[in-house]
Amino acid sequence: MGLLRSFFLLNYPTNGLRAIKLAAGACALAAMAFLSACTGNDGNASPAPQSGSSIVMSADGKTLYIANGDTNTVSVVDAKNRKVEKEIAVGKEPRELALSSDGSTLFVTCRYANSVEWLDIDKGKVLGTLKTGIEPYGIVLSPGGKTLYVTNYRSGTVSVVDAEKRSVLKQVKAGANPRAIAISADGGKLYVSDYLTSGTSIFETASMKLLSDKTLAPSPDLPDRKKSQGTPNTVEQLRLTPDGKSLWEAHLLTNTDTPVQFEEVIFPALSVVDAGTGEEEPKSRKELFKAIDVKDKLGKTIIVSNPTDVVFSADGKKGYALMGGSEDLLVFDLARGGRAGQIIHHLPGDLPIGMVQSKDGGKLYIHNASSHDLTVVSLPPADEEGGQARVDGKPLPLIAKDRLNPQQRLGKTLFYSANSDEYPLTGSNWMSCASCHSDGEVDQLSIMTAKGPRNVPSNVLAFDTGLFMWDGSRDDFGDYIHTVQGEMGGLSDVDPAKPLPAEAQGAFDALEAFMRMPDAFPVPQSPYRTEDGQLTEEAQRGKAIFEGKAQCVTCHASDVMTDSVLATGEDGKLTTGNTGFLHDVGTVNGADADYAGDARGAFKNTRQRGLFDTPTLRGVYATAPYLHDGSAPTLEDVIARAGDEHGLTSKLSPKEIKDLVSYLKQIQ
């Protein structure tokens, strides 16, 4: 069924597949009774901790507000009648929401519009727009409703915004890529996570003084590679417990020193940090095969992947985790050892990223970001012993019209999903494309491969920059069947030496259709440029050095800044047989190995160790670490070790190097 699923979804996107997932979810078990700390306890209760989210609820519990990411709208939903009352057009890529104290105004971060928008809910229109930084993402409102706090993903800042005057009061540095955000119940502390490094910054809101800035600890290596271990990364959400004492973070662990293989590299985790000190509570971390270990009917552990959200019961005795990759909902009994005890496996809907509970505690509303619908789960009464949670009805469509065509939508779903029972590209629910290519780009890590350590590349401009892979050993997107089989555990019955079966080819075509969209993974705007987006004087001097004295432009040529686009054959098409644009730039290391080619390339796409394809420099500031093995932490390190093999840099003065790096950081 999994292999054919891509064609079913492409041709019947709203019919039989939803029924399949609904049936799977309805049969699964979970016992949950909680009140989301994200939305408060009830209309008369004291304020609760808040976290940024793609779904929020009105104070009376009657209305839901949901950010429909890639369709550029916000849906207003009647929660009781499960009806979309209105769909409001907003700026590009709305991500998270905050609701004003009186419930009349909705604040929305519009990631690719670089703005926060104010929406009049009754009139269903945008009241105003404020530029906060590059790619605003997370947003929370102070308990009094006067101040907004916004994370700017590319700018590396938090904007403090006057919610009434719609003006930025202050910009505060908060790591390199701040995303998830939370605020204490009294509004005194602000919590911000760095998406890629798993750093957690704690600020005192009165002064925005940094109180703590610590990074989650790696889980130690274990002899059994199939057990949870690795470096924390890709923090999707922060949630404070109801008592405000602990902060939970939903993230991945990546095992970087094990040859990449789907069961041994990517693991889900929920880490716990002391909200007062910022110190991690290592014994409290929830990991696969440890605290996350729920069995199916045959006694086999159910694999879950890519955590996206976590909330708590009002009394703090239960914790609930949403797994966006495997599309699962887990329940943790925090009063009885803290292990996961129940699961709703494969919720209906694609890419669940946020959830909120009804005020009466009887319903759980889950936002699915790729299928653009709302899954409702009925919860048992809090005093019912052994009660089961069940999927309640079909998912509610949230949008009137999808901006993506069916093939593009399928491609996006495939890119982010690790649901092996529904999709063909991944094995045993372990990992998706996005598990390594975080949000489609980089995870700032290097993984071990048969060729040696390889820095995870970005998918920005992937189809415009020539050959694929660091060694240029692939010239067709279908060649990634080797990645799917060898690293992700999917399509195991396909012979890669033969033309791909129609079903598999359809999946790759859908992925390509999505990834080719200009706004699927846009080139990152540089925060190092002037306020009006121009090169600084320093960068202008660096550009002259880049194109002149250093001769970087010799290889980093054309609009896409790589000569790999020239690796064509007599027919004008890209070919791995043209090795004239592979380069030895002196960066080979002892772990690198020759490549004997692969079945898709008829074993003619062999590669000599030390020869590499030229990567694009568009948005290069956002792709650290650098070089094929990630051995250069900064661009300065790249130049320092380059000599004259990697551009003519040996005779550059310190000032010229500074100017050159300034230019590199501003290329977009």
Side-chain angles (χ1 to χ4, degrees), residues 214-249:
K214 295 180 172 63
T215 301
L216 298 178
S219 286
D221 283 345
L222 298 173
D224 186 346
R225 292 174 176 174
K226 297 185 187 300
K227 292 188 176 180
S228 185
Q229 54 194 297
T231 303
N233 63 98
T234 315
V235 180
E236 296 288 355
Q237 183 59 287
L238 300 176
R239 293 284 189 183
L240 285 158
T241 52
D243 61 10
K245 294 181 179 180
S246 296
L247 183 75
W248 282 44
E249 308 195 21

Side-chain angles (χ1 to χ4, degrees), residues 266-323:
I266 303 294
F267 301 91
L270 302 167
S271 290
V272 183
V273 172
D274 186 303
T277 66
E279 296 288 344
E280 185 179 356
E281 302 170 10
K283 293 183 179 180
S284 298
R285 178 176 286 178
K286 314 300 180 187
E287 298 181 14
L288 189 61
F289 302 125
K290 295 181 181 178
I292 303 176
D293 191 359
V294 184
K295 310 291 185 180
D296 62 16
K297 293 180 179 180
L298 300 177
K300 183 179 179 180
T301 294
I302 298 175
I303 304 300
V304 298
S305 58
N306 292 69
T308 51
D309 201 1
V310 55
V311 296
F312 306 95
S313 61
D315 59 11
K317 294 182 179 180
K318 300 284 186 180
Y320 309 90
L322 195 59
M323 299 288 155

